[in-house]
Amino acid sequence: MPAHFLGTPATAPGPLGPDMLKSFNLIRCDPLEFLFANWRKFGDVVQFPLPRPPTYLVNSPTGVRQVLVNNAKNYSKATIQYRALSLVTGSGLLTANTDLWRERRPIIQPAFHQEAMDNLIAVSRQAADRMAAELDSNGAGVVTDVDQFMLNAALEVVGEFLFGSDLSADAHLITEATLQALEVVIKRARVPLSPPRKIPTPGNRVLKRSLDTLDSAVASIVESRTVAQPLGVTAPGVNLVDLLLAASANEQIDLEGIRDEVVTFIIAGHETVASALSWSVALLATHPQVQERVAAEVRAARGETLDSKLVQLPFTQAVFSETLRLYPPAWLITRKALGPDCIDGHDIPTGALVITSPALLHRHPEIWSDPDSFNPERFLVAFPRESFIPFGAGLRQCIGKDFAYVEGVIMLASLCERLKFEYPARGILPASDPLVTIRPVGGVKLLTSRRV
Ligand code: HEM
């Protein structure tokens, strides 16, 4: 281990400067594989040879827990990852610093209460039924990109459930704007210097167009709720936008804050679930026996379950969990150390960037047996809960975790009840592209046929 990286003490093993230069392309094109390679080579705490900020990868269960849970107050979200994301979302709940987060979370939390979740079951079922009918109307023998359907359906669910708005007419525009904006900001985050936003580079032009599309979607969502009959905050059917408007009437949030939260929930609430569902269906298409078991479970439960308790679809839920283990949509969770810390015996200096990744922790061979294989059964028995972190952990854990499970399991169940998914040729999973979420490269192109 070298003593210093340009003045920063080396406190953990890691690659040297020339190794980083050799990896430049890999960092740009496949940063997840770069992290995997360094973790395999150097172990659970890796230091990269960067002086400002000193940069660490942490992938031990205890280390990740220390950063996200036990010593979370020592870590902030002021990192390059969240700065890049905030070019799109502004200061919404996902990117907010701790003070703003404390103000906002209580305003927003009531949108996710238990009775609302029951309503989400019906909304998700309708979206899945519409999607199944469309896929069915394509007829047998037609190859369809299921990923695009998932994005549209997940956006419809967010629109109806959180905003009380029908976004289906503009779904394609909004999902495209979301993906394009995220691609631009992620590219910006991967290079040390980017041109200022004002210079009309191709990337900046795409970002501006995407933000215009998102902003006008937000304006019409907010306008439609403002003219709708006002609801009391405790009235049944109250949704996120109603809560934000009520808070603005009390001067707890301004119009820019409302814009930032609505964009945050459009982005955090649909692309993640769509990605998980696309990978789930891709995995089921390559594991026909597992797919048959899901269909059988849904058939057996027909009538009662899909409108009530998820717990009655344990195998479908296990399939969704196993997909989140292998392809966790939010694959990167970063923090900045506010003060010094010591992780697994390695000193972490103030100001350090600490990188954790559910994608890496979920494939740790000391925690998960046969970690690369798709085996939903592992979630039917006791599993290492603390090392399963697709939704993060601690105070900043995902507010939409239950939402994602309800929507994901109901959509998966409803789709498998009606349709069979197959690869046109011998099934190979798409490659994964780690943008903000892990996307399937080129979509998920499948044959669908009606179940008889
Ligand atoms: C499979 C689907 C999803 C995955 C994998 C996921 C993952 C995550 C992760 C890992 C975090 C924590 C980030 C961190 O600690 O730095 C997070 C936070 C967040 N997620 Fe999700 N998410 C999903 C679905 C959703 C949904 C459906 C919504 C909204 C309806 C949502 C809204 C948010 C918000 C607002 C935050 C910030 C929470 C806070 O700091 O209080 N997510 N998500």
Side-chain angles (χ1 to χ4, degrees):
M1 196 157 62
H4 286 91
F5 294 123
L6 300 173
T8 297
T11 59
L16 300 176
D19 304 323
M20 290 290 276
L21 285 179
K22 270 191 242 149
S23 306
F24 184 73
N25 251 339
L26 188 59
I27 298 173
R28 229 166 38 90
C29 303
D30 194 347
L32 180 54
E33 181 46 40
F34 170 75
L35 294 180
F36 259 116
N38 280 286
W39 164 55
R40 279 188 215 106
K41 188 161 177 191
F42 298 107
D44 284 345
V45 181
V46 178
Q47 183 177 7
F48 296 102
L50 303 168
R52 263 193 304 263
T55 302
Y56 294 81
L57 168 67
V58 173
N59 194 39
S60 67
T62 47
V64 172
R65 219 160 168 79
Q66 184 167 330
V67 174
L68 299 182
V69 185
N70 298 339
N71 197 18
K73 63 178 182 321
N74 188 50
Y75 292 93
S76 88
K77 281 195 163 189
T79 65
I80 185 165
Q81 177 199 10
Y82 284 111
R83 263 198 308 278
L85 197 55
S86 67
L87 288 178
V88 183
T89 63
S91 298
L93 202 60
L94 183 58
T95 54
N97 65 30
T98 310
D99 289 342
L100 186 64
W101 176 82
R102 274 190 217 291
E103 285 171 25
R104 294 274 173 85
R105 183 112 181 188
I107 298 174
I108 290 170
Q109 191 71 52
F112 293 86
H113 63 83
Q114 198 45 51
E115 285 130 62
M117 288 298 133
D118 290 343
N119 184 27
L120 179 59
I121 294 179
V123 174
S124 306
R125 179 111 215 237
Q126 273 162 22
D129 285 347
R130 259 198 305 275
M131 178 175 160
E134 272 178 57
L135 287 169
D136 192 25
S137 70
N138 283 347
V142 179
V143 176
T144 312
D145 181 3
V146 175
D147 187 46
Q148 190 56 53
F149 278 81
M150 293 296 189
L151 280 165
N152 291 351
L155 184 69
E156 270 177 62
V157 173
V158 165
E160 195 164 334
F161 181 77
L162 288 180
F163 310 146
S165 298
D166 180 359
L167 301 182
S168 54
D170 291 330
H172 194 73
L173 273 180
I174 298 173
T175 59
E176 194 178 82
T178 302
L179 293 180
Q180 287 184 342
L182 294 180
E183 190 170 341
V184 174
V185 297
I186 291 313
K187 280 194 182 141
R188 285 177 77 98
R190 283 182 199 167
V191 292
L193 283 177
S194 301
R197 292 266 305 282
K198 280 193 217 124
I199 299 180
T201 58
N204 282 344
R205 280 206 298 267
V206 171
L207 183 58
K208 178 164 182 332
R209 253 199 327 271
S210 308
L211 289 178
D212 288 346
T213 304
L214 290 172
D215 286 349
S216 73
V218 173
S220 63
I221 289 168
V222 171
E223 192 187 310
S224 72
R225 292 312 295 181
T226 316
V227 294
Q229 188 165 358
L231 293 163
V233 173
T234 51
V238 72
N239 64 40
L240 176 69
V241 178
D242 297 328
L243 292 168
L244 293 170
L245 289 171
S248 109
N250 297 334
E251 297 184 359
Q252 291 170 287
I253 188 168
D254 59 13
L255 281 181
E256 194 183 336
I258 294 182
R259 178 265 173 214
D260 291 351
E261 293 304 352
V262 175
V263 172
T264 293
F265 278 86
I266 289 178
I267 288 184
H270 95 278
E271 206 220 341
T272 45
V273 180
S275 176
L277 279 166
S278 291
W279 284 111
S280 299
V281 172
L283 285 160
L284 290 180
T286 45
H287 296 80
Q289 282 158 341
V290 179
Q291 187 175 165
E292 289 314 307
R293 194 167 158 192
V294 170
E297 181 177 75
V298 180
R299 261 198 314 275
R302 186 186 304 221
E304 316 141 33
T305 359
L306 296 189
D307 298 323
S308 54
K309 300 275 182 292
L310 288 185
V311 85
Q312 290 158 37
L313 291 171
F315 189 67
T316 313
Q317 195 170 339
V319 166
F320 195 62
S321 294
E322 178 69 340
T323 307
L324 290 172
R325 185 184 70 80
L326 286 171
Y327 298 98
W331 63 279
L332 187 68
I333 301 180
T334 56
R335 293 290 188 265
K336 177 184 175 181
L338 298 173
D341 198 2
C342 181
I343 297 181
D344 297 343
H346 301 282
D347 286 331
I348 306 291
T350 304
L353 170 68
V354 178
I355 299 170
T356 68
S357 169
L360 261 64
L361 192 61
H362 292 175
R363 295 198 189 218
H364 202 307
E366 285 162 29
I367 303 160
W368 303 93
S369 61
D370 201 3
D372 294 334
S373 74
F374 175 63
N375 174 18
E377 300 253 348
R378 69 174 93 233
F379 283 96
L380 294 177
V381 293
F383 62 92
R385 237 166 243 285
E386 295 198 341
S387 298
F388 181 57
I389 56 160
F391 299 96
L395 274 183
R396 300 299 295 260
Q397 195 186 40
C398 179
I399 197 171
K401 180 179 170 205
D402 293 347
F403 181 122
Y405 260 101
V406 170
E407 181 186 351
V409 173
I410 291 296
M411 295 260 301
L412 206 52
S414 308
L415 290 172
C416 289
E417 186 185 17
R418 306 264 300 266
L419 300 171
K420 192 169 178 168
F421 296 93
E422 287 166 289
Y423 270 95
R426 219 174 116 69
I428 306 171
L429 283 171
S432 58
D433 183 12
L435 287 169
V436 170
T437 63
I438 296 189
R439 313 253 348 119
V441 175
V444 176
K445 299 201 173 88
L446 299 177
L447 286 169
T448 54
S449 54
R450 189 183 304 173
R451 276 188 188 276
V452 281

